[in-house]
Amino acid sequence: MGNTRTHQRPVGRRITPQRAQFRRLAESADIGTVTRAQLAVLAQSLTCTGLINGTESHLLVALINSAPADSFDKSGRPIVFKSNQQLAFEIGRSIGRVSRMLSRLFDAGLITMQDSGNYKRYPIRNGDGEITDGCGIDLRILIVRYAELDELVRQVRAEKKAADAALRRYRGALRNARYALSAAAELSAQVLDRIGSRIERVSDVVEAAGKGSSGMLRRATAILEWLVERLMQLPRRSAEISETNNMTCPHVENGMHTQITTPHPFDDSSEERRSANAEQSHSLKAGSASKWAFEESLSRGRSEINQPRRLRQAMVALQDVLRAVPALKTYGFAPTSWAELARAIPLMCRFAGISEDARARAVEQMGEQQAAVAVAVTLEKYDRQEVSSPGGYLRAMTDRAAAGELHLARSVFGLAARNSMEIRH
């Protein structure tokens, strides 16, 4: 007879660094601070967080209810010694399903487990009959993480409530916008088509995002309400601008700011330096970047753009950008830092109809901060109906930046001066 080969049976469940960390964390539990009823309610609520599904929540509640109530008191040990077969019978699932769900609960940090060599679960008692240790399903990790998990449940419920409220308001604003569009008769067909396309674009953006977050829904609602005001031909809202004697940028956010405007922006400038009035428009129906739009020679040919003329880009403060681009507030953007403005680039491009390729080229050539300023000012021009092709406008600025002939700071201060003059009048 040949030699028989014996296969050693693996002992217990696979231990990972994360599971070992959960076991160590469970040992630090302050037993007696949380009751069994509180843990049962928490286990039922965890499904809304996405940590576990309904069946796993059912199993976790069964485990909590299996532990005696006094095991959650001082000097108690909330350890469950039921077999997988018994648990499967109680929740109406197969033994293999219960074993897999226990592993997932272990990985989620909701239970810890200690298996014996023969896979039996039993307590270890001292001379007084008290459980000091055991091989079973340990629930102490829930006591340690109760505050964290309870706060997570509260946060998810608050976000869901806010998202539902924002969704209801968005749907009402979308319905009102479409009704106002069909009822508007005093506007030209071209204006109605443009506003109608903006309404449908906002709807497409929200639908593509799967209804979106509450923040996106609030921005979309603000845009739709603003479009309704345009359809009703209401006067444009005045942006809140702090009272300053000049445009010398008192709110500089970094030490690299360079003053490039005159101390008196509303006076005529000299030939050496452009005044703030240099950004005023000469036409409301311009279709591309012209001498008044962004740069004094943005419409020059490629041969001139490719001239090797590199200039150091002047920095502007974020407050200057916000004053120059009230369209940011109109479209629901309120950045408090350059990082927030940079993160808003993709959504601004969507609202303005700028392609992904044009955005990527601008970021690659200018960097995120300068590209964010360029996109913001393009959105302002598009909102003023001074640019009919925002994508082409941004590409032209990117080419100018590559040639070192783009001066965004001049454009920002010029737009800020125009907005100040419009508010004064």
Side-chain angles (χ1 to χ4, degrees):
M1 295 180 63
N3 296 331
T4 59
R5 177 179 298 176
T6 59
H7 296 279
Q8 184 179 2
R9 186 180 184 185
V11 179
R13 294 180 183 271
R14 178 173 57 89
I15 296 300
T16 63
Q18 187 178 24
R19 290 182 176 182
Q21 180 64 27
F22 287 146
R23 280 186 179 179
R24 179 185 298 178
L25 187 61
E27 296 175 358
S28 64
D30 186 8
I31 302 176
T33 57
V34 181
T35 64
R36 185 177 67 174
Q38 289 176 304
L39 293 180
V41 172
L42 175 64
Q44 293 175 346
S45 304
L46 284 176
T47 53
C48 69
T49 64
L51 287 177
I52 56 176
N53 56 35
T55 308
E56 292 164 355
S57 173
H58 187 193
L59 175 59
L60 186 58
V61 172
L63 291 172
I64 294 172
N65 291 331
S66 297
D70 57 0
S71 65
F72 294 92
D73 296 336
K74 289 289 186 181
S75 72
R77 280 297 182 94
I79 303 177
V80 178
F81 304 104
K82 288 183 178 180
S83 64
N84 288 357
Q85 182 178 5
Q86 180 64 27
L87 292 172
F89 172 76
E90 292 181 2
I91 68 172
R93 295 293 186 270
S94 66
I95 298 175
R97 179 75 179 276
V98 168
S99 179
R100 291 190 295 272
M101 286 193 294
L102 287 175
S103 295
R104 286 196 290 270
L105 291 176
F106 200 168
D107 291 330
L110 302 177
I111 62 172
T112 58
M113 300 182 66
Q114 180 66 47
D115 293 327
S116 64
N118 58 0
Y119 291 93
K120 300 297 182 180
R121 293 171 183 157
Y122 55 85
I124 299 176
R125 302 179 183 272
N126 58 15
D128 298 330
E130 298 176 349
I131 298 177
T132 58
D133 201 355
C135 295
I137 304 171
D138 196 341
L139 302 177
R140 289 180 295 174
I141 186 69
L142 279 177
I143 299 176
V144 177
R145 302 186 62 193
Y146 176 79
E148 170 197 347
L149 296 173
D150 185 60
E151 179 62 27
L152 178 62
V153 171
R154 293 176 184 273
Q155 181 180 355
V156 170
R157 286 178 174 174
E159 291 176 356
K160 181 64 168 57
K161 185 177 180 180
D164 290 343
L167 181 59
R168 288 193 296 268
R169 185 177 178 186
Y170 161 75
R171 287 173 174 170
L174 181 61
R175 181 174 59 251
N176 292 338
R178 288 172 174 168
Y179 177 78
L181 182 65
S182 62
E186 299 180 0
L187 300 177
S188 64
Q190 182 180 4
V191 173
L192 291 177
D193 290 342
R194 181 173 296 173
I195 296 179
S197 65
R198 292 190 184 184
I199 294 174
E200 296 307 319
R201 186 181 302 161
V202 171
S203 176
D204 293 341
V205 169
V206 174
E207 293 295 334
K211 301 305 180 185
S213 62
S214 57
M216 173 181 284
L217 291 172
R218 285 194 295 268
R219 288 196 295 268
T221 302
I223 295 171
L224 292 174
E225 292 175 348
W226 171 72
L227 291 175
V228 169
E229 292 179 359
R230 276 203 164 186
L231 289 170
M232 298 300 177
Q233 295 183 341
L234 299 179
R236 186 169 181 174
R237 298 182 182 181
S238 299
E240 296 180 2
I241 298 181
S242 59
E243 292 294 331
T244 55
N245 294 329
N246 51 50
M247 296 290 291
T248 55
C249 309
H251 305 289
V252 178
E253 293 186 357
N254 52 61
M256 297 179 63
H257 177 74
T258 304
Q259 175 63 38
I260 62 172
T261 59
T262 63
H264 307 285
F266 301 107
D267 297 338
D268 294 334
S269 64
S270 62
E271 292 298 326
E272 290 81 7
R273 179 171 294 181
R274 294 181 58 185
S275 71
N277 293 332
E279 283 290 338
Q280 293 188 17
S281 62
H282 299 289
S283 171
L284 294 178
K285 299 184 179 296
S288 61
S290 61
K291 64 182 180 180
W292 51 266
F294 235 100
E295 306 300 329
E296 56 187 359
S297 57
L298 194 60
S299 59
R300 286 190 284 182
R302 293 251 176 191
S303 59
E304 294 184 62
I305 290 178
N306 292 331
Q307 296 293 332
R309 180 187 170 192
R310 301 283 179 178
L311 297 178
R312 183 170 177 264
Q313 190 65 248
M315 301 296 294
V316 296
L318 181 61
Q319 293 298 327
D320 297 324
V321 177
L322 298 179
R323 286 196 295 269
V325 187
L328 289 175
K329 186 177 181 181
T330 300
Y331 282 85
F333 300 103
T336 58
S337 65
W338 286 111
E340 289 186 14
L341 184 62
R343 286 194 296 268
I345 292 179
L347 196 54
M348 286 192 293
C349 289
R350 279 193 173 187
F351 287 142
I354 298 173
S355 65
E356 291 291 327
D357 179 68
R359 175 178 67 85
R361 282 191 56 201
V363 172
E364 180 182 0
Q365 181 61 44
M366 307 180 198
E368 283 193 346
Q369 180 171 328
Q370 293 296 324
V373 176
V375 172
V377 184
T378 303
L379 182 66
E380 174 68 16
K381 295 286 187 178
Y382 179 66
D383 180 63
R384 290 173 171 268
Q385 301 181 6
E386 296 174 355
V387 173
S388 62
S389 178
Y393 191 81
L394 183 61
R395 289 181 186 275
M397 283 192 291
T398 303
D399 292 338
R400 296 283 291 174
E405 298 181 356
L406 182 66
H407 308 290
L408 281 176
R410 296 182 183 179
S411 302
V412 168
F413 294 135
L415 284 173
R418 289 173 56 188
N419 293 330
S420 299
M421 293 177 65
E422 290 175 359
I423 292 174
R424 290 186 177 185
H425 293 292

